Amino acid sequence: MGKRVVPPDDKGIEEISLKDALEERYLAYALSTIMHRALPDARDGLKPVHRRLLYAMRLLRLDPGQAFKKCARVVGDVIGKYHPHGDQSVYDALVRLAQDFAVRYPLVDGQGNFGNIDGDNPAAMRYTEARLTEVARLLLEGLDENAVDFRETYDGSEEEPLVLPAAFPNLLANGSQGIAVGMATSIPPHNAAELCDAALYLIAHPKATTDQILSFVPGPDFPTGGVIVETRESIAETYRTGRGSFRVRAKWTKEDQGRGLWSIIVTEIPYMVPKSRLIEKLAELINERKLPFLADVRDESAEDIRIVLEPRARTVDPEILMETLFKLTELEARVPMNMNVLTAGLVPRVLGLADVLREWLNHRRDVLERRSRHRLNQIDKRLEILNGLLIVYLDLDRVIKIIREKDDPKAELIKAFKLNDVQAEAILNTRLRSLRKLEEMELKRELETLTEEKAHIESLLTSPDKQWKAISWQIREVKKSFGPDTKIGKRRSNFAEAPEIGNVDLTEAMVEREPLTVVLSEKGWIRALKGHVTDLGNLQFKGDDTLKLSFQDRKSTRLNSSHANISYAVFCLKKK
């Protein structure tokens, strides 16, 4: 017999509606996903995992130009101190920040196999190494100067920044993708120099609209290039509302191969389209005979993309060939835009282009004020010590006598020279070698320099115009580093209008026409000679048959047929 189970009493049991319990827990989960996982902050353009990665790498001293460290070391610090999630998901986030085909301005400088545009996976984290890039340094600049607030980590043992100072317009420059609960975000990358120009215009014209800013930011700038074929009106509407999409096509050229032969060379493909999947789909459609104009596809890519498309016949129109491929393959893709971001780090909102730039600029002003106050506090502390040290040189002998003879020299110094505790401590810590005349002159120069800097900072903090002027100078410095004359700053995506081929008869386009000469004899025999033959004097006939008439025309051949269209020739003869 089993042991009898005694049910518990009703003490300590609280009854609650299942509906209320589910709503409460699902809401908590949804808020956690929205705020701490999927949506980027409008100020620095980062999700929590990316922000923690950059902060952990900074603490590991992985600055630009420093030695690389294993990615496993970085991932270990992130999941151990800041981000209690799976190591593979953190490593995937780190890898993406280093992929120059996925991120317009990489935040991580990777060494090793970080995957490729074909869609191949990166090497394991124990094999790859990483450090920060110059863009990441700009995002972290000022973190030690009280530029942003910090909070405790999940276990309370460390602190992490709520947001980064972000001297670089990262949200729009690198874009972001994420799926939360009940909402999602999709922001394509843009050109940093164009964003800087737009920000400078917005500083000079605070009430500027999105339509005015579009003169500086014409559209996205994808890391893989491509051609944007969206209309100006559609682009303007997308940026005004923060929702829409962009049609992006592969960039191609026609390459002559001699003797009338040619091929299509694709050098850029749409954003986020794996090259291997694209070529596989093209080959599959060729085998299924769904691409009547295309005979073969080859991947001749090395460091740069080079996809060769062979037409089925040299008389095929390349424009028509490419239009059919754009409709049936990922050589044309739609990149969605949904600028759903966290404003002030708390409220998810869909913003237009002008509002997103304002969020970044307002954040830069807050950072400037906080860094200025931090510097002002440091100057005040240093000036306090300098004023105390200069007293030593006014009556050096008396100070030395007090230190040598008094049991409590600190209290005697405070009493004799009316010093505070900090000043007296600084005097007692002064080395004997610093008591020379030259040192006194250096202290006076430092005092004068700091006094001038203090006056400048106090003037800055009381003048919004000076603050915006300082921010404008910072933005211009960023533009110099990522301007159109630099390799990374040059615009990669171009704009074009899609050709109209709606009225083209594709059945007619599939017919190849070759020149021929039709010959009719006196006895009614018909012959077709290749090409336009003008000299028929040596033409031989059977028996006593002779030439009656001849004329030049063209032979029509289906692209999937190898024999001449005889009925077409007969028709032409009857017409003559």
Side-chain angles (χ1 to χ4, degrees):
M1 294 269 314
K3 186 177 180 181
R4 182 172 177 270
V5 178
V6 180
D9 55 21
D10 293 339
K11 294 180 180 180
I13 297 177
E14 178 184 354
E15 291 189 3
I16 186 171
S17 167
L18 178 61
K19 177 176 177 294
D20 294 339
L22 289 176
E23 286 180 351
E24 178 184 350
R25 285 156 178 77
Y26 190 76
L27 179 61
Y29 164 72
L31 289 174
S32 174
T33 303
I34 291 169
M35 297 180 62
H36 303 298
R37 186 181 303 177
L39 296 189
D41 195 302
R43 296 169 291 182
D44 63 4
L46 296 173
K47 300 177 186 179
V49 63
H50 302 136
R51 193 177 299 118
R52 288 162 177 166
L53 276 166
L54 298 185
Y55 182 60
M57 292 178 71
R58 181 177 180 274
L59 294 183
L60 287 171
R61 300 181 182 274
L62 293 176
D63 298 321
Q66 299 297 318
F68 290 89
K69 286 187 179 178
K70 290 288 186 182
C71 290
R73 172 74 183 278
V74 177
V75 172
D77 275 18
V78 171
I79 65 176
K81 295 180 179 179
Y82 314 109
H83 201 71
H85 296 276
D87 58 345
Q88 191 58 48
S89 63
V90 175
Y91 181 53
D92 290 343
L94 172 63
V95 165
R96 189 179 185 279
L97 294 182
Q99 293 175 332
D100 57 1
F101 55 87
V103 181
R104 181 64 179 84
Y105 300 92
L107 305 181
V108 172
D109 183 10
Q111 184 169 264
N113 177 15
F114 277 78
N116 54 40
I117 198 169
D118 280 330
D120 296 333
N121 293 327
M125 69 180 79
R126 62 183 178 274
Y127 300 120
T128 56
E129 298 178 335
R131 65 183 176 189
L132 297 171
T133 63
E134 182 63 22
V135 178
R137 187 195 66 79
L138 288 172
L139 292 177
L140 295 160
E141 188 177 59
L143 209 56
D144 292 331
E145 300 174 19
N146 194 34
V148 294
D149 290 328
F150 281 70
R151 67 181 172 199
E152 288 187 347
T153 55
Y154 69 96
D155 61 354
S157 61
E158 302 276 347
E159 281 193 336
E160 62 175 335
L162 287 171
V163 65
L164 298 186
F168 181 82
N170 184 63
L171 177 64
L172 288 170
N174 277 326
S176 183
Q177 288 83 35
I179 300 175
V181 177
M183 60 181 66
T185 186
S186 179
I187 304 172
H190 293 75
N191 187 275
E194 295 172 356
L195 295 174
C196 289
D197 286 336
L200 291 172
Y201 182 82
L202 199 56
I203 291 174
H205 306 83
K207 295 184 179 180
T209 63
T210 294
D211 290 332
Q212 292 172 310
I213 292 177
L214 284 179
S215 60
F216 303 97
V217 185
D221 187 20
F222 300 105
T224 54
V227 181
I228 301 171
V229 294
E230 206 65 47
T231 63
R232 289 279 118 203
E233 295 76 13
S234 175
I235 292 175
E237 181 65 19
T238 297
Y239 280 120
R240 274 195 297 269
T241 61
R243 295 182 187 273
S245 62
F246 302 93
R247 282 172 63 199
V248 185
R249 289 182 166 185
K251 186 177 181 180
W252 62 277
T253 56
K254 178 183 175 182
E255 186 178 271
D256 291 325
Q257 297 176 342
R259 299 182 180 180
L261 301 176
W262 56 272
S263 58
I264 296 292
I265 307 299
V266 176
T267 55
E268 297 174 2
I269 61 177
Y271 181 54
M272 300 299 288
V273 174
K275 179 162 62 69
S276 60
R277 188 179 73 191
L278 171 65
I279 294 174
E280 182 180 343
K281 181 65 175 178
L282 283 167
E284 181 181 329
L285 291 175
I286 291 174
N287 291 334
E288 294 176 357
R289 302 182 181 277
K290 293 181 179 179
L291 297 176
F293 301 140
L294 191 63
D296 190 21
V297 55
R298 298 194 308 274
D299 184 10
E300 298 181 356
S301 305
E303 292 184 1
D304 298 327
I305 291 178
R306 180 181 169 87
I307 302 173
V308 181
L309 305 176
E310 295 286 351
R312 194 168 290 276
R314 59 188 176 185
T315 56
V316 173
D317 189 319
E319 293 283 349
I320 297 176
L321 168 61
M322 292 307 298
E323 286 299 321
T324 58
L325 296 181
F326 288 145
K327 288 184 178 181
L328 297 174
T329 70
E330 288 184 300
L331 285 172
E332 176 180 302
R334 276 205 171 269
V335 179
M337 184 170 189
N338 180 16
M339 286 204 285
N340 190 10
V341 295
L342 292 176
T343 57
L346 296 172
V347 183
R349 287 178 56 199
V350 178
L351 302 178
L353 177 61
D355 292 330
V356 169
L357 286 172
R358 285 192 184 95
E359 287 284 328
W360 178 61
L361 289 174
N362 292 334
H363 175 58
R364 290 302 300 159
R365 185 182 178 185
D366 292 339
V367 168
L368 176 65
E369 290 180 344
R370 293 185 61 144
R371 292 181 68 182
S372 298
R373 291 194 179 94
H374 177 76
R375 177 58 181 163
L376 193 60
N377 186 45
Q378 287 183 321
I379 290 175
D380 286 336
K381 291 180 179 179
R382 181 59 180 167
L383 288 176
E384 182 182 15
I385 293 174
L386 288 175
N387 287 322
L389 291 175
L390 288 173
I391 293 175
V392 173
Y393 298 96
L394 295 176
D395 199 348
L396 187 58
D397 294 336
R398 187 181 177 190
V399 171
I400 295 175
K401 184 178 180 181
I402 290 174
I403 294 174
R404 292 185 62 187
E405 297 179 356
K406 299 298 180 181
D407 295 334
D408 189 1
K410 184 177 181 179
E412 289 294 331
L413 287 173
I414 292 174
K415 181 179 178 182
F417 296 100
K418 296 182 179 179
L419 304 173
N420 58 35
D421 188 78
V422 175
Q423 291 173 326
E425 190 67 33
I427 292 172
L428 291 173
N429 291 332
T430 302
R431 294 183 177 185
L432 289 175
R433 69 174 63 181
S434 301
L435 300 179
R436 54 199 177 103
K437 187 68 176 178
L438 183 62
E439 189 69 22
E440 180 183 3
M441 295 171 61
E442 290 291 337
L443 291 177
K444 288 181 178 179
R445 276 196 291 267
E446 184 182 358
L447 180 69
E448 182 180 351
T449 302
L450 291 179
T451 303
E452 291 179 0
E453 185 181 354
K454 178 181 178 181
H456 171 73
I457 293 177
E458 289 175 341
S459 174
L460 177 70
L461 289 172
T462 57
S463 173
D465 290 340
K466 290 184 178 179
Q467 292 174 13
W468 288 120
K469 185 177 180 181
I471 294 171
S472 297
W473 178 84
Q474 295 170 358
I475 293 175
R476 289 190 184 96
E477 290 299 308
V478 172
K479 184 184 175 182
K480 286 181 183 178
S481 301
F482 304 96
D485 55 339
T486 63
K487 182 179 179 181
I488 193 174
K490 184 179 179 181
R491 170 169 271 279
R492 300 178 185 177
S493 296
N494 301 320
F495 297 88
E497 294 184 2
E500 295 292 338
I501 64 162
N503 298 326
V504 173
D505 186 358
L506 295 181
T507 304
E508 185 72 13
M510 293 175 63
V511 176
E512 180 182 9
R513 290 180 172 83
E514 297 181 11
L516 76 149
T517 302
V518 180
V519 177
L520 178 64
S521 71
E522 290 288 349
K523 293 185 178 181
W525 289 95
I526 299 174
R527 295 173 65 180
L529 307 178
K530 287 186 179 181
H532 288 167
V533 181
T534 56
D535 184 10
L536 299 176
N538 297 325
L539 194 63
Q540 297 180 357
F541 294 89
K542 290 183 178 180
D544 57 350
D545 201 0
T546 58
L547 176 68
K548 181 176 183 180
L549 64 88
S550 67
F551 65 90
Q552 296 174 349
D553 213 307
R554 290 186 177 275
K555 176 181 70 174
S556 298
T557 307
R558 290 278 176 184
L559 293 183
N560 57 358
S561 175
S562 59
H563 61 277
N565 193 338
I566 301 298
S567 61
Y568 175 75
V570 173
F571 170 76
C572 292
L573 278 172
K574 289 180 179 179
K575 221 165 119 185
K576 292 287 183 180

